[in-house]
Amino acid sequence: MAPSTSSSVTLNINGEKHTLSVDHRTTLLDALRERLDLTGTKKGCDQGQCGACTVLVDGRRTVSCLQLAVASDGREITTVEGLADGDRLHPVQQAFLDLDGFQCGYCTPGQICSAVAVIEEHAAGWPSAATGDVRPEAGPPPLTPEEIRERMSGNLCRCGAYVQIVEAVARAAAENRSETEEAAA
């Protein structure tokens, strides 16, 4: 008997469980868009180079065109559709809207998911290639435009909205810091 070429997977997407049978070659991107109608995640290059398909898997950014759906079984997946809290946009989404961090909007969902992860990675003290002092005791580096550009470098914008994207990430990060400080006080 020939081995099966499909499996049943349970994808935990935006707080909801979805069980489906997928071919072993199905990417997470295709499962999201074609099987679950979550079309916020965009198919750009389909080679992991543009970042348009970026989602969060267990809180870490992932290019969903390179992640197999079967490898996502049981993991927590957040797409751009899952970032808002009801009618209240996520601070990164609101900053992109307020500061016009998009033009055509095609790359925006991936940019926003990456920005959410960038802010969390920075707050956790993770260095980037632009970080001058990577010693743990140095703490998080200032989130300068250079740091933001380096951390967001896996996401391309063909329209060139990079200045507004950097401003939006900086604003959302500052708001996140303020909320964290208020909660600690």
Side-chain angles (χ1 to χ4, degrees), residues 20-95:
L20 30 126
S21 178
V22 294
D23 183 287
H24 292 156
R25 299 166 294 181
T26 302
T27 64
L28 177 57
L29 173 62
D30 288 339
L32 292 169
R33 291 185 58 80
E34 296 172 14
R35 300 290 305 280
L36 299 170
D37 287 328
L38 291 169
T39 57
T41 305
K42 302 301 183 208
K43 184 178 275 199
C45 67
D46 214 17
Q47 298 177 7
Q49 296 179 11
C50 72
C53 67
T54 302
V55 297
L56 304 175
V57 178
D58 294 334
R60 307 261 330 251
R61 50 190 157 158
T62 301
V63 284
S64 61
C65 71
L66 297 181
Q67 173 96 8
L68 294 175
V70 293
S72 305
D73 186 29
R75 305 198 45 207
E76 294 295 325
I77 301 161
T78 304
T79 67
V80 70
E81 292 97 339
L83 292 174
D85 184 12
D87 290 338
R88 184 175 165 259
L89 293 177
H90 185 282
V92 172
Q93 291 172 310
Q94 190 63 56

